[in-house]
Amino acid sequence: MIESVADTLRKHRSIVLAFALAIVLFLIGTVQASGFASYDHIRTVLITASFIGLVGVGQTFCMLTGGIDLSIPSNLAGAAVLTAFLANGSSAPLIWIIPMVIGFGMVIGLINGLGVAYAGVPPIIMTLGMNSAIQGLLLIYTHGGLASSAPAGLVNFVDGDTLGLSTMLLIWVLVALVATVVLSLSTFGRKLYSVGTNASAARLAGVNVKRVLVIPYVVSGAGAAVTGVLLLGYLGQAFITMGDTYLFSSAVAVAVGGASILGGKGHYIGTVAGAIILALITANLNLISLGESAIDIAYGVILLVTVYLATLRLRGANRWPRALRRGPGPNQTAVEASHGDPE
Amino acid sequence: MSLAPGATTPRRAVQWRPSLRISSGDLPLLMAYVYVVAMVVAVLIISPALLDGPGAIGANFSLVVPLAAVCFGQTLVMLTRGIDLSVGGVISAGSALLATHLNAQGWAFVPELLAIVVLGGLIGCLNGMIIAYTSIQPFIVTLATWSIWDGVAFGVLPVEGGKVSPTLINATSGNIVGLPKSVWIVALLLLVWRWIRSTRFLDDLVAIGSDETRARLLGVRIPRRKVQAYAASGLLAALAALWVTGQTQSGSPDGGDQFILASVAAVVIGGTNIFGGKGSAASSTMGAIAFLLIPILVFALNLTSFWGIFFQGLILIIAVTFNSLIQARSRG
């Protein structure tokens, strides 16, 4: 029993490290400011993290296959703007608007995915072009990106509590559970890891690689749309640039959470830790009154450092103490990877 | 011998045949010219004054200059199978610095101008070193440094504005020998490309992009060449920052971001292979012109200018899909 706990921790050490880093950041903030550990502040930080975490689902899936989705910013803003415009202040039509908006997001993701999987377009270029195309459409639709306000019902829903807990956080927990089940327990999850680790091997094993490659972008499109609608409720208004910060933060959260940018490694639980870390960093930087510019710099440095550490880990997987290794094989990690186990 | 004359020189026949027949792999390199000609003809039919009116050439080419410079660097980087997303951050940071700290007048501006260019080169160097000496992919490295230099730009100049040196403003406007400076600079870039094309440097970049393992076995100094390619990209982005800042007469902390999509799109429209090993800065310049003709055509068609942004994204998607499909076919 004890061994299996140690074993699990060893197998997921990058995720454990990410959570440890989050705790360290939390302690730093607590030492610096008295209100940092208050219930309200923790709640605010976690809600900030939840938005990164929600767009992070799709980004995790994309990165597991070695891709990336750069169309998240305008996809997110598009969903928010469209919802605000169509609802026009009243909450009743949200019942049909929200599914429709999420559908739009999925269609955009589908186009991305088809381009990546079937035409062989590099994900970064496909999604970069898509980002601009959607942004153009949005500007046309809104006549230049005028802000529009959210229906009151949505604001109340996002800000409110369900069963004594923040609704936003409950949604995140629910999404995290679903993502975890999909990655760890479903056949699709296994296929995703196998495609990310070695596409040719996956093909030989009978996986329809192209079809599997499309799904992450559809998930990402849906996730960005959902996040856009919720962020509309949280901020109270929609504007064209509201998704811009999520370009970096989603990618950085996934990388900090230990996913390999080369694909095949990582887990959504790591992204959850990554999202919390980024929210805590923002909160800490706000404490010492450093704004936007310091956050941008911090994101870049963190992205470089964590990805660099991940490449070291890939290369030096055998350098871990023998006591922490299971079984005799020095190539344990490699074998695990080829079986598509989450790190 | 009763054989046809052609049969007596089989070697020559084999040698010249490929140059006469356009192989499908070369098709992307020609598409930029098709796009440009088609759009120029369209604009000339609908609203010729946009292209041949007084001052139109200078105004249009002044937009081509920075994009052509950035595309030049992006092409070099893409030849090695890389990508440089940090050009946006470099231009923003350069523009912010030029509007705040580096705005001396007269000859005192020269060392500051050199400082910006050297800074750009060093930033590129840093990208190149991280990419060459670690196994992190180029798009992650330059995504991170894009964020870092964007942050620096916002730190230096939080909002658009600042004060730009009149020397720089004068240097980026006006004519030389009857032609706008912008036209001369684009011509100069093309000349530089003509020269670089025949150098060992470019051969090495092509070798790296075609097959890195083989290039290593052939003795190409891969890390050094990669650092040089990214350094060139950073340096050219800094030059673009100089031009943009002088032209707009103000600094912009996020003015560089548009050059990321624009440069990638122009290079892809220009037919440079996104999988490395094949490309031309001259075609990329054509790609840049095509990319910048889109908003002009949109204007000529009397549409809202935002359609330009949509079509610019769309043309990237179409061009890259087209090129990828052709690459997939030629690889078999």
Side-chain angles (χ1 to χ4, degrees):
Chain A
M1 180 64 200
I2 291 169
E3 199 187 83
S4 79
V5 171
D7 203 46
T8 316
L9 290 181
R10 184 201 56 82
K11 231 172 89 180
H12 302 289
R13 57 179 172 261
S14 56
I15 296 176
V16 175
L17 282 175
F19 276 106
L21 180 60
I23 292 170
V24 170
L25 283 167
F26 178 71
L27 290 178
I28 291 175
T30 314
V31 172
Q32 279 185 329
S34 55
F36 202 86
S38 70
Y39 172 79
D40 281 342
H41 189 257
I42 293 175
R43 188 186 139 119
T44 312
V45 168
L46 285 178
I47 289 179
T48 313
S50 68
F51 290 109
I52 303 176
L54 287 178
V55 282
V57 180
Q59 197 67 283
T60 307
F61 280 34
C62 289
M63 283 185 159
L64 280 176
T65 63
I68 192 168
D69 186 355
L70 296 184
S71 69
I72 284 176
S74 58
N75 207 342
L76 186 155
V81 166
L82 209 58
T83 308
F85 265 77
L86 290 176
N88 199 16
S90 67
S91 306
L94 287 177
I95 296 168
W96 60 266
I97 290 173
I98 291 177
M100 193 192 74
V101 162
I102 295 173
F104 273 143
M106 291 173 82
V107 169
I108 292 163
L110 183 68
I111 300 172
N112 280 334
L114 290 177
V116 169
Y118 288 91
V121 178
I124 186 157
I125 299 182
M126 185 74 201
T127 54
L128 192 68
M130 184 60 78
N131 192 50
S132 173
I134 304 167
Q135 197 180 32
L137 285 180
L138 272 181
L139 285 165
I140 298 161
Y141 181 71
T142 60
H143 303 289
L146 300 170
S148 50
S149 50
L154 189 62
V155 176
N156 292 336
F157 174 77
V158 173
D159 285 343
D161 286 2
T162 308
L163 305 171
L165 278 168
S166 158
T167 312
M168 230 0 254
L169 295 182
L170 282 178
I171 293 176
W172 191 22
V173 169
L174 215 68
V175 168
L177 280 177
V178 173
T180 305
V181 168
V182 168
L183 286 180
S184 296
L185 300 175
S186 76
T187 330
F188 172 71
R190 307 295 285 184
K191 286 180 182 169
L192 206 60
Y193 282 109
S194 70
V195 168
T197 309
N198 188 336
S200 335
R203 187 175 300 115
L204 292 175
V207 176
N208 188 337
V209 173
K210 288 182 176 173
R211 200 176 296 164
V212 170
L213 268 178
V214 175
I215 309 288
Y217 296 91
V218 179
V219 172
S220 186
V226 170
T227 314
V229 172
L230 293 171
L231 194 62
L232 166 68
Y234 186 67
L235 297 176
Q237 57 173 203
F239 45 96
I240 290 277
T241 53
M242 67 192 287
D244 287 2
T245 56
Y246 293 93
L247 172 73
F248 291 123
S249 59
S250 63
V252 178
V254 178
V256 172
S260 161
I261 309 285
L262 294 168
K265 278 186 180 219
H267 199 283
Y268 184 65
I269 304 291
T271 308
V272 170
I276 295 175
I277 288 174
L278 293 190
L280 281 167
I281 287 173
T282 308
N284 269 309
L285 288 174
N286 284 339
L287 272 188
I288 46 178
S289 54
L290 284 174
E292 257 340 275
S293 96
I295 293 170
D296 278 352
I297 296 173
Y299 279 2
V301 173
I302 294 165
L303 183 59
L304 276 182
V305 171
T306 49
V307 175
Y308 178 63
L309 291 179
T311 61
L312 286 188
R313 215 167 48 229
L314 274 181
R315 237 184 293 157
N318 303 331
R319 264 187 257 137
W320 285 79
R322 180 160 275 272
L324 285 172
R325 253 187 270 143
R326 183 180 51 181
N331 293 324
Q332 183 71 55
T333 327
V335 173
E336 270 174 26
S338 68
H339 283 230
D341 262 342
E343 157 111 3
Chain B
M1 300 290 277
S2 59
L3 284 170
T8 59
T9 54
R11 260 185 77 224
R12 266 178 77 195
V14 170
Q15 270 175 349
W16 59 254
R17 192 182 295 154
S19 67
L20 269 188
R21 203 179 53 187
I22 298 168
S23 79
S24 67
D26 289 331
L27 205 56
L29 282 169
L30 297 171
M31 284 310 289
Y33 297 89
V34 177
Y35 290 132
V36 169
V37 170
M39 279 193 277
V40 165
V41 168
V43 175
L44 284 179
I45 291 170
I46 304 166
S47 176
L50 289 175
L51 291 182
D52 62 9
I57 289 183
N60 292 330
F61 263 85
S62 72
L63 294 174
V64 176
V65 168
L67 188 53
V70 177
C71 285
F72 198 119
Q74 195 72 266
T75 309
L76 296 178
V77 165
M78 282 208 178
L79 278 174
T80 71
R81 227 190 152 125
I83 191 165
D84 189 355
L85 300 175
S86 74
V87 290
V90 174
I91 295 173
S92 298
S95 160
L97 281 172
L98 283 166
T100 50
H101 294 78
L102 305 177
N103 51 13
Q105 298 188 24
W107 288 109
F109 182 70
V110 174
E112 298 189 344
L113 181 149
L114 287 176
I116 279 285
V117 175
V118 170
L119 189 69
L122 285 177
I123 289 172
C125 244
L126 191 70
N127 284 334
M129 277 156 74
I130 299 173
I131 289 162
Y133 295 107
T134 71
S135 50
I136 313 177
Q137 293 109 304
F139 82 84
I140 290 293
V141 173
T142 56
L143 187 74
T145 49
W146 167 19
S147 184
I148 292 173
W149 301 119
D150 251 11
V152 169
F154 271 105
V156 172
L157 180 76
V159 286
E160 208 156 311
K163 187 177 159 293
V164 178
S165 162
T167 315
L168 181 62
I169 295 172
N170 288 334
T172 53
S173 55
N175 292 348
I176 298 179
V177 205
L179 271 178
K181 281 179 187 166
S182 47
V183 177
W184 287 108
I185 294 178
V186 174
L188 187 69
L189 281 172
L190 290 175
L191 274 178
V192 171
W193 168 250
R194 244 186 100 92
W195 165 66
I196 282 193
R197 210 171 50 167
S198 59
T199 58
R200 181 76 188 273
F201 170 63
L202 203 85
D203 291 344
D204 285 355
L205 294 189
V206 169
I208 294 170
S210 311
D211 190 337
E212 195 162 328
T213 318
R214 189 179 290 174
R216 186 175 294 118
L217 293 174
L218 285 171
V220 174
R221 290 179 169 174
I222 293 173
R224 182 202 274 196
R225 289 311 192 200
K226 281 191 178 173
V227 171
Q228 287 170 342
Y230 284 92
S233 178
L235 190 144
L236 285 158
L239 286 174
L242 278 167
W243 181 268
V244 172
T245 314
Q247 279 277 319
T248 55
Q249 309 191 3
S250 86
S252 166
D254 57 0
D257 285 357
Q258 55 175 312
F259 283 94
I260 299 169
L261 174 91
S263 66
V264 171
V267 171
V268 168
I269 295 167
T272 292
N273 188 344
I274 33 181
F275 304 104
K278 196 177 227 176
S280 143
S283 293
S284 299
T285 306
M286 270 324 227
I289 293 173
F291 187 80
L292 292 168
L293 273 167
I294 294 172
I296 298 177
L297 185 59
V298 163
F299 187 79
L301 290 170
N302 218 356
L303 292 168
T304 336
S305 64
F306 304 125
W307 280 104
I309 298 173
F310 169 70
F311 284 122
Q312 286 179 333
L314 193 68
I315 196 174
L316 171 56
I317 295 174
I318 292 173
V320 78
T321 308
F322 178 71
N323 292 4
S324 299
L325 287 174
I326 287 201
Q327 289 309 326
R329 183 161 298 173
S330 64
R331 264 177 286 151

